[in-house]
Amino acid sequence: PDREDRLRLLFCLQFLLPGAPGIYYGDEIGLTGGKDPASRAAFPWDPAAWHRPRRDLTRRLVLLRVARPEIRRGSLRFLTEAGDPSLLAFARELDGQASLCLVNLSDSSGQVRLATGELGWSGNREVRDSLSGRRAAIDDGRLTFSLSPLDAVVFVS
């Protein structure tokens, strides 16, 4: 994993955990800076100069927060799972709606196995990651999902 993978994970956590995400102008397009007085240049309005994948991710995260009140102001519940401590699973819940966030904090791939009945996701169904569109199956109230290194996904009810 490279620096960009780590930044992607940082952006995801900032938008999915409680609190208002703070983005300094230009972070969403890869604008860099240095020590004062070179802390930040003027915003480059030419889209050809932007880091498109980071801008697209930031846009998806903003739209997800707008569409999902539980991510903006819902409760945070960490879901227990026996296994790798670098795999994080948490739910954001509000008024019967739930978003399930799975995060791999490791530099190697991992697999999450999780009971989803507590979220009201029982039986058999398919869920889709709101960030990438990847799909996962819930079989008999259990989700099994493989995460790439430094990966994050968000499944919504």
Side-chain angles (χ1 to χ4, degrees):
D2 64 8
R3 178 179 182 271
E4 196 57 40
D5 293 329
R6 294 180 193 289
L7 283 170
R8 180 187 185 282
L9 183 60
L10 175 68
F11 269 65
C12 288
L13 288 170
Q14 183 176 209
F15 274 83
L16 298 172
L17 290 170
I23 297 179
Y24 192 58
Y25 82 91
D27 285 348
E28 75 282 9
I29 54 120
L31 188 61
T32 60
K35 291 190 175 191
D36 204 19
S39 55
R40 199 53 73 116
F43 191 89
W45 291 106
D46 178 7
W50 298 352
H51 187 281
R52 287 287 190 176
R54 193 178 314 161
R55 182 193 176 275
D56 293 346
L57 172 67
T58 305
R59 182 175 172 76
R60 283 191 306 274
L61 288 165
V62 167
L63 292 173
L64 181 62
R65 279 185 69 92
V66 168
R68 304 301 301 193
E70 71 272 14
I71 293 177
R72 288 192 313 275
R73 58 182 195 277
S75 64
L76 170 68
R77 180 163 48 110
F78 288 96
L79 305 172
T80 58
E81 176 195 342
D84 189 342
S86 64
L87 297 174
L88 182 64
F90 61 91
R92 300 298 310 273
E93 299 169 291
L94 181 71
D95 298 332
Q97 297 296 310
S99 289
L100 171 62
C101 308
L102 306 177
V103 179
N104 183 358
L105 301 171
S106 170
D107 287 338
S108 57
S109 295
Q111 189 171 64
V112 174
R113 292 178 186 87
L114 192 65
T116 58
E118 295 178 51
L119 300 173
W121 302 359
S122 56
N124 300 320
R125 65 188 290 188
E126 186 176 78
V127 290
R128 186 180 58 84
D129 173 25
S130 296
L131 301 177
S132 70
R134 290 180 288 179
R135 298 186 184 282
I138 295 176
D139 294 316
D140 293 326
R142 294 203 57 83
L143 171 73
T144 301
F145 192 79
S146 295
L147 289 165
S148 301
L150 303 174
D151 196 7
V153 296
V154 182
F155 299 115
V156 298
S157 59

